[in-house]
Amino acid sequence: MTSNAFGPPAAGAPPSAGETANAQPQRDPAETVAALRTAVPDCQWLTDRERMTPYECDGLAAYRRLPLAVVLPETEDQVCHILQACNRLQVPVVPRGAGTGLSGGATPITDGIVLSLAKFKKILNVDAYARTATVQPGVRNLAVSEAAAPYGLYYAPDPSSQIACTIGGNVSENSGGVHCLKYGLTVHNVLRVRAVTMAGEIVEFGSHALDTPGLDLLSVFIGSEGMFCVVTEVTVKLVPKPQVQQVIMASFDDVEAGGNAVAAIIAAGIIPAGLEMMDKPATQAVEAFVHAGYDLDAAAILLCEADGTAEEVAEEIARVSQVLRASGATRIQVSASEAERLRFWSGRKNAFPAAGRMSPDYYCMDGTIPRRTIGTLLKRIEAMQAQYGLRCINVFHAGDGNMHPLILFNGNDLDEWHRAEAFGSDILEACVELGGTVTGEHGVGIEKINSMCVQFSPEERDAFFAVKRAFDPAELLNPDKAIPTRARCAEYGKLHVRHGLLPHPELPRF
């Protein structure tokens, strides 16, 4: 949810620190900060309101809090000292990358600190033979590909925010992008992570080898949203830049037909490099913004990219075109040059800022559903627009069913704010009902923490907490994110009722 103004808290806003399940003991803030400042030089701390304000939220600007302090370490050793001090004083810590996250994963805690990795921006090594790059967490996603370009290589996961988002943040959220259908998410493109525990101990997950002895903790760690450890170094895979890349832009006069075409392409055994979809309101917003050459008469457009050798691309373009025609495409256009291909993609990647030109605020959702149900969900969203009296434009990673509806609203209108949040919750619950999940690549953070009550049982959530405690026994790292407590789920009213009996009757009902 973005906002251009300091508005009132949204309905169901997360509790401030002190209301969480693991509230920390009350202490004098000035004394706490003074004790922490001994860990690293004073020049690396921000403690006055004006300098901390940029850290009060991430891309989910609807929720804003000021922390006790912000610290910007420059070395791994300093990270260890900071975490050891916070662990000793029982001070919560929120790790932060570039702050581009959209689920509130880097929202501060009022009695805790923000630990920013912004100064960890060195590319330590690019190995063209092993096709790997080892970087610090503050390195921008796009900078990795820029460093690998002289070797004919690049880093495949490409979030829309890749010009600004960092590798450490990508690891924490398991970020995706328009080319992840073929090349995988962050978890499929990271070999090794070096990190620091809350106790200040250095640990490593994965390795430079193809396999690692013991449990596969790397895949557990990626996507943990800063709740397990603080990342200090990452080794990623690099892939060769394709010889040829072309994009098909297909138009449909019915949104549901476009959604069904996505399932038909995958069912035909074709795995494109990218497969993205936008509905008519989205294409109209984007076209006015970047002039990408989109068909403004279509109810929906589909962007499908083929890459590989010239022969492979020609064959895939022909096969995809055949499937699209059979699925009811009314127009098919193939990029005739690299400039045109990039222009087609620039439209899709600028969908979010284009939405910002249409409305004072927008709320970006991130549910994932089976491909065969894309059309069904789009019809439901259309009905929800009438129910809530709000517009919604749809852009999404169609190939893997990762939906990004953008709900347009005015954050200065409290009623619209609450309706937008309810609209978003209904979309996520519809995703679960259709066999999907409440998130695909943006993470849970504080935005979807209530929706986790819908998808997972109390026993499953207890298991999630057990994994967190294995990494962070004191629960000081990002403690109010991602996993809802039983009390929160009871308050949200989404407990399962079996045989007419509410589970956990000892819990107070709100």
Side-chain angles (χ1 to χ4, degrees), residues 32-306:
T32 301
V33 173
L36 291 174
R37 288 176 78 125
T38 61
V40 296
D42 280 352
C43 62
Q44 293 170 227
W45 288 92
L46 308 178
T47 55
D48 60 280
R49 182 183 182 90
E50 182 178 355
R51 299 179 73 193
M52 290 196 297
T53 295
Y55 298 87
E56 67 182 357
C57 68
D58 56 13
L60 186 70
Y63 301 137
R64 307 183 185 200
R65 304 177 191 148
L66 282 176
L68 278 179
V70 177
V71 63
L72 292 92
E74 297 179 351
T75 66
E76 184 179 72
D77 191 50
Q78 288 182 346
V79 172
C80 293
H81 288 314
I82 292 164
L83 292 178
Q84 287 167 357
C86 289
N87 192 46
R88 183 176 66 254
L89 296 169
Q90 294 292 285
V91 175
V93 177
V94 176
R96 179 185 171 99
T100 60
L102 295 170
S103 63
T107 304
I109 295 172
T110 53
D111 62 353
I113 69 166
V114 169
L115 194 160
S116 170
L117 282 304
K119 294 188 176 183
F120 281 67
K121 52 185 179 183
K122 294 179 183 176
I123 296 177
L124 302 173
N125 180 52
V126 176
D127 189 332
Y129 295 99
R131 293 181 180 173
T132 64
T134 300
V135 305
Q136 291 185 322
V139 172
R140 294 178 301 111
N141 176 289
L142 188 58
V144 179
S145 291
E146 291 170 347
Y151 307 100
L153 304 170
Y154 74 107
Y155 179 59
D158 55 345
S160 295
S161 59
Q162 68 178 148
I163 192 173
C165 67
T166 61
I167 293 297
N170 291 173
V171 167
S172 293
E173 303 295 336
N174 191 23
S175 303
V178 298
H179 289 97
C180 287
L181 174 61
K182 182 174 182 178
Y183 294 101
L185 302 162
T186 299
V187 70
H188 306 111
N189 289 274
V190 170
L191 289 170
R192 167 185 160 273
V193 171
R194 183 177 172 96
V196 181
T197 68
M198 192 65 212
E201 298 175 350
I202 297 171
V203 292
E204 288 196 10
F205 307 99
S207 74
H208 290 97
L210 294 177
D211 200 1
T212 307
L215 296 173
D216 181 16
L217 295 179
L218 180 64
S219 59
V220 175
F221 182 81
I222 295 174
S224 59
E225 302 194 32
M227 296 189 300
F228 292 174
C229 303
V230 176
V231 178
T232 56
E233 191 174 293
V234 183
T235 300
V236 301
K237 298 178 185 177
L238 302 174
V239 295
K241 187 171 177 58
Q243 295 179 22
V244 178
Q245 295 168 286
Q246 278 188 292
V247 174
I248 299 176
M249 180 171 68
S251 304
F252 292 86
D253 56 11
D254 179 75
V255 172
E256 194 164 5
N260 293 337
V262 172
I265 290 171
I266 305 299
I270 305 168
I271 305 296
L275 188 55
E276 302 284 310
M277 189 172 170
M278 290 184 283
D279 66 8
K280 189 172 185 175
T283 56
Q284 289 177 333
V286 166
E287 189 62 22
F289 186 46
V290 298
H291 310 293
Y294 290 162
D295 181 358
L296 297 181
D297 295 324
I301 67 165
L302 198 61
L303 297 175
C304 179
E305 180 164 283

Side-chain angles (χ1 to χ4, degrees), residues 4-35:
N4 297 325
F6 288 84
S16 61
E19 297 174 320
T20 57
N22 299 291
Q24 303 304 318
Q26 295 297 314
R27 59 173 71 87
D28 181 77
E31 291 180 4
T32 301
V33 173

Side-chain angles (χ1 to χ4, degrees), residues 360-427:
D361 305 277
Y362 66 82
Y363 188 11
C364 176
M365 304 311 299
D366 173 47
T368 301
I369 56 174
R371 285 181 289 264
R372 66 180 182 277
T373 63
I374 288 175
T376 302
L377 181 63
L378 290 175
K379 290 292 186 184
R380 289 202 187 184
I381 291 174
E382 187 176 344
M384 291 178 195
Q385 291 185 73
Q387 176 185 347
Y388 289 104
L390 297 172
R391 292 178 297 163
C392 180
I393 66 175
N394 292 283
V395 297
F396 47 95
H397 305 310
D400 49 13
N402 187 192
M403 313 292 283
H404 292 318
L406 301 175
I407 301 168
L408 309 181
F409 73 106
N410 179 4
N412 291 319
D413 183 325
L414 183 60
D415 179 62
E416 278 200 23
W417 196 322
H418 290 175
R419 279 187 281 135
E421 190 170 59
F423 191 167
S425 295
D426 275 2
I427 291 175

